[in-house]
Coordinates of all heavy atoms in Angstrom, one line a residue:
D36 N -42.9 52.2 -76.4 CA -42.1 53.3 -75.8 C -41.7 54.4 -76.6 O -42.0 55.6 -76.3 CB -40.8 52.6 -75.2 CG -41.0 52.4 -73.6 OD1 -42.0 52.7 -73.0 OD2 -40.0 51.9 -73.0
A37 N -41.2 54.1 -77.9 CA -40.8 55.1 -78.8 C -42.0 55.9 -79.3 O -41.8 57.1 -79.4 CB -40.1 54.5 -80.0
E44 N -43.8 64.5 -77.3 CA -43.2 65.8 -77.9 C -44.2 66.5 -78.8 O -44.3 67.7 -78.7 CB -42.1 65.2 -78.7 CG -40.9 64.7 -78.1 CD -39.7 64.3 -78.9 OE1 -39.8 64.4 -80.1 OE2 -38.7 63.6 -78.3
G51 N -48.1 74.5 -77.0 CA -47.4 75.9 -77.3 C -47.5 76.7 -76.0 O -47.5 78.0 -76.2
N105 N -53.2 52.8 -74.0 CA -54.3 53.7 -73.5 C -53.9 55.1 -73.4 O -54.6 56.0 -73.8 CB -54.9 53.2 -72.1 CG -56.2 53.8 -71.8 OD1 -57.2 53.5 -72.5 ND2 -56.2 54.6 -70.7
A118 N -60.0 51.8 -69.6 CA -59.5 50.5 -70.1 C -59.8 49.5 -69.0 O -59.2 49.7 -67.8 CB -57.9 50.7 -70.4
I149 N -67.0 59.2 -55.6 CA -67.4 59.4 -57.0 C -68.6 60.0 -57.1 O -69.2 60.2 -58.2 CB -67.3 58.0 -57.7 CG1 -68.3 57.1 -57.0 CG2 -65.9 57.5 -57.8 CD1 -68.6 55.8 -57.7
F155 N -68.8 54.3 -65.5 CA -69.4 53.1 -66.1 C -69.7 52.2 -64.9 O -68.9 52.0 -63.9 CB -68.2 52.4 -66.8 CG -67.8 53.3 -68.1 CD1 -66.7 54.2 -68.1 CD2 -68.5 53.1 -69.3 CE1 -66.4 54.8 -69.2 CE2 -68.2 53.9 -70.4 CZ -67.1 54.7 -70.3
T172 N -61.7 46.3 -61.9 CA -61.6 45.7 -63.4 C -60.3 46.3 -63.9 O -60.2 46.4 -65.3 CB -62.8 46.3 -64.2 OG1 -62.8 47.7 -64.0 CG2 -64.1 45.7 -63.7
A187 N -65.8 61.0 -75.2 CA -65.8 62.3 -75.9 C -67.0 63.2 -75.4 O -68.1 62.9 -75.8 CB -65.8 62.0 -77.4
G189 N -68.8 66.8 -75.4 CA -69.0 67.9 -76.4 C -69.0 67.3 -77.9 O -69.4 66.1 -78.0
S197 N -60.3 58.5 -84.3 CA -59.6 58.1 -83.1 C -59.7 56.6 -82.7 O -58.8 55.8 -82.4 CB -59.9 59.0 -81.9 OG -59.7 60.3 -82.2
V198 N -61.0 56.1 -82.8 CA -61.2 54.7 -82.7 C -60.5 53.8 -83.6 O -59.9 52.8 -83.3 CB -62.8 54.5 -82.6 CG1 -63.1 53.0 -82.6 CG2 -63.5 55.2 -81.5

Side-chain angles (χ1 to χ4, degrees):
D36 255 359
E44 293 176 7
N105 192 70
I149 60 170
F155 292 95
T172 56
S197 298
V198 172

